[in-house]
Amino acid sequence: MQPTARIYKVGLMLAALATIAITLFMASSLLLDDSTKSSIGSNLPLSNMLGGNKGSIPDVAPVGSNLDIGVLPAARVSYDEPAEGERVNAAIVVLVRNSELDGLRKSMRMFEDRFNRRFKYPYVLLNDQNFTQEFRDGIAAITKNEVRYGILDSDQWGYSPSVTPEDAAKKLEYNKNRYLYGGSLSYRFMCRFQSGKFYHHPLVRDLDWYWRLEPDVEYYCDIDYDPFVFMRDRGMKYGFTIAPREGRRTVESLWYHTREWIKKNTHLLPDRSLVNWVMGTDGHYNLCHFWSNFEIVDLSLYRSEAYESYFNYLDEAQGFFFERWGDAPIHSIAATLLLKKGEIHWFEDIGYKHPGNMHCPREPAMHAKCICDSAKSYTYRSACQTRFAKVNNMAKERLLEIMRNSESSYLSPP
């Protein structure tokens, strides 16, 4: 045999032996028992498995290592699995137009990821027009949870009984340059609907609780508990995140009419309430309010005799259209008139943004679940938020005394 042929034959044999060795090595890796496999990585946090944690814990434990997986941080709960525990009779309620589809999809995407993918509360979407198929398809692509669609009638989305379209038009023209939405009729319809009509809608009237959601809002923090159950179990009725001041011009006569209602309905007021959060010792409204674009509410509050009486009184006073009374100050004044401090809860742990203001928790344990900058949080600079932390309940007798002492300032509407 020639040397060249002999060398060629030896080469083939070596290549075959190498192939056999590689095959045996790969087979041995596949035959590792389950416990060995789990020690390699199946119980590692996702960030480690993907190379996201470059600290002292290796990305993948070497075979046969003594790595103690018990020291690893607990993996984040799976948000594809339904949360355990009971649900209350509640829904996420949204007032939305067809043109706001993109904004609502954005809100719902974050809300689903942060909370509702696990807790699976239904959505109630309300519109003054029929929802388009494009809108329905767009929402169906965002959530697997139940979505109920409703339309508003002319009583729910319309004028106060004592207001004519002609009179309203004159006031809209007068106010159009005085403040935001000063000339908007649809904004007035919205404020009136949210103040005293939404909870009577056929899709809402049988609910015990509701959580308000709007287009173009952001949720920054994981919510790994049920706020409805949290509030119910503690006797709370109203929950909020942000508390700014209202524009004075928009509510010029609201406090006058509130005082008039109080004087005529003292029997509907509780013995003690948090009314001094919205009223100073001078008897004037300080413009503080809970920003109602986020609110979680026990609807027995709005369906109570006292609240219904208050709303109907204000509806007759024409301020929804002649001024620009918003549902936020009306909800807030009513809540503080009718509830004690322990029945109102600030959800400090829920990071939230609505165009104009944002809240981001700064307490470390809360902030660990969030993706926001607490240094930019409006709430910790808000005078109304600070006041909420400081004030306590006021006796009804003291409220009436302050009103008597300031009566000279309220002899007629502003």
Side-chain angles (χ1 to χ4, degrees):
M1 182 180 293
Q2 298 295 322
T4 302
R6 188 180 297 114
I7 293 172
Y8 176 73
K9 185 176 182 179
V10 171
L12 288 176
M13 293 174 64
L14 290 174
L17 289 172
T19 301
I20 292 171
I22 292 172
T23 302
L24 290 173
F25 175 78
M26 294 177 65
S28 66
S29 298
L30 293 173
L31 292 174
L32 287 171
D33 60 52
D34 291 340
S35 61
T36 304
K37 290 180 183 178
S38 65
S39 70
I40 292 177
S42 62
N43 285 333
L44 289 173
L46 183 60
S47 59
N48 287 342
M49 296 174 68
L50 298 180
N53 185 344
K54 300 295 185 181
S56 60
I57 301 172
D59 292 331
V60 178
V63 177
S65 75
N66 293 319
L67 180 65
D68 180 7
I69 62 173
V71 302
L72 298 179
R76 175 180 170 179
V77 64
S78 171
Y79 272 64
D80 292 319
E81 296 296 327
E84 296 181 356
E86 65 174 315
R87 301 292 184 270
V88 302
N89 178 24
I92 314 305
V93 180
V94 189
L95 178 64
V96 62
R97 294 171 171 158
N98 289 305
S99 60
E100 296 174 305
L101 173 60
D102 289 344
L104 183 56
R105 280 169 52 87
K106 170 187 171 183
S107 298
M108 288 180 65
R109 175 73 282 157
M110 296 191 78
F111 190 75
E112 285 280 301
D113 288 346
R114 294 304 189 180
F115 172 74
N116 209 37
R117 185 190 293 183
R118 294 187 67 228
F119 289 88
K120 302 188 181 303
Y121 281 100
Y123 294 90
V124 173
L125 306 188
L126 303 176
N127 193 345
D128 65 312
Q129 303 290 328
N130 288 318
F131 284 102
T132 64
Q133 191 60 49
E134 177 188 7
F135 189 98
R136 292 170 182 260
D137 291 343
I139 296 302
I142 287 292
T143 181
K144 296 179 181 178
N145 293 317
E146 180 185 0
V147 181
R148 306 164 187 168
Y149 293 90
I151 193 168
L152 311 183
D153 61 30
S154 58
D155 173 65
Q156 296 160 345
W157 193 259
Y159 295 93
S160 302
S162 59
V163 173
T164 66
E166 294 75 21
D167 289 339
K170 294 177 183 177
K171 291 296 184 180
L172 295 178
E173 178 64 26
Y174 171 74
N175 289 316
K176 67 179 182 180
N177 296 319
R178 298 183 69 219
Y179 40 73
L180 186 65
Y181 303 118
S184 172
L185 179 62
S186 63
Y187 193 85
R188 303 312 200 281
F189 288 159
M190 181 273 292
C191 290
R192 179 174 179 265
F193 171 76
Q194 297 283 30
S195 293
K197 296 294 181 179
F198 82 90
Y199 49 89
H200 292 304
H201 190 277
L203 294 182
V204 181
R205 64 188 175 199
D206 292 328
L207 298 174
D208 296 329
W209 293 80
Y210 102 114
W211 186 333
R212 180 163 159 183
L213 182 68
E214 294 199 351
D216 294 306
V217 300
E218 299 179 34
Y219 280 82
Y220 296 128
C221 307
D222 288 344
I223 306 168
D224 51 13
Y225 66 98
D226 189 331
F228 294 120
V229 174
F230 174 88
M231 291 180 65
R232 184 205 61 187
D233 290 350
R234 291 161 178 78
M236 300 169 178
K237 294 183 179 296
Y238 191 93
F240 73 100
T241 55
I242 299 175
R245 291 188 187 274
E246 181 62 292
R248 187 175 298 278
R249 285 186 173 183
T250 68
V251 291
E252 287 172 325
S253 67
L254 176 59
W255 190 243
Y256 167 83
H257 290 289
T258 296
R259 289 170 59 102
E260 291 298 300
W261 178 83
I262 291 173
K263 288 188 291 186
K264 296 174 181 177
N265 294 278
T266 57
H267 64 289
L268 295 177
L269 301 179
D271 292 336
R272 300 181 68 83
S273 73
L274 196 62
V275 64
N276 55 329
W277 184 66
V278 298
M279 181 191 73
T281 55
D282 59 2
H284 301 326
Y285 176 38
N286 60 21
L287 304 176
C288 286
H289 65 282
F290 308 123
W291 224 16
S292 59
N293 47 71
F294 173 108
E295 63 178 16
I296 303 175
V297 185
D298 177 346
L299 290 171
S300 66
L301 169 64
Y302 295 153
R303 297 186 183 118
S304 66
E305 179 185 0
Y307 185 88
E308 291 277 46
S309 172
Y310 179 55
F311 169 74
N312 289 331
Y313 188 93
L314 296 181
D315 204 23
E316 285 296 317
Q318 304 175 326
F320 288 111
F321 295 90
F322 290 3
E323 296 176 24
R324 199 211 68 188
W325 293 352
D327 54 280
I330 290 173
H331 285 185
S332 305
I333 291 172
T336 55
L337 269 173
L338 302 177
L339 301 177
K340 299 179 179 64
K341 186 171 185 177
E343 296 175 293
I344 302 174
H345 180 65
W346 174 32
F347 281 102
E348 183 180 5
D349 60 316
I350 298 182
Y352 173 78
K353 180 179 180 180
H354 183 283
N357 284 319
M358 66 89 76
H359 167 65
C360 180
R362 63 186 178 189
E363 198 278 321
M366 295 180 182
H367 191 265
K369 300 180 180 181
C370 307
I371 50 166
C372 53
D373 184 353
S374 59
K376 297 180 180 179
S377 181
Y378 165 78
T379 48
Y380 298 114
R381 305 189 305 272
S382 166
C384 294
Q385 204 89 33
T386 301
R387 182 176 177 82
F388 181 80
K390 292 181 177 180
V391 299
N392 291 306
N393 296 320
M394 174 180 285
K396 178 165 65 173
E397 292 78 8
R398 177 59 176 154
L399 163 63
L400 300 178
E401 178 187 4
I402 291 174
M403 287 180 55
R404 287 192 296 269
N405 293 339
S406 57
E407 188 68 22
S408 60
S409 300
Y410 292 92
L411 298 178
S412 61

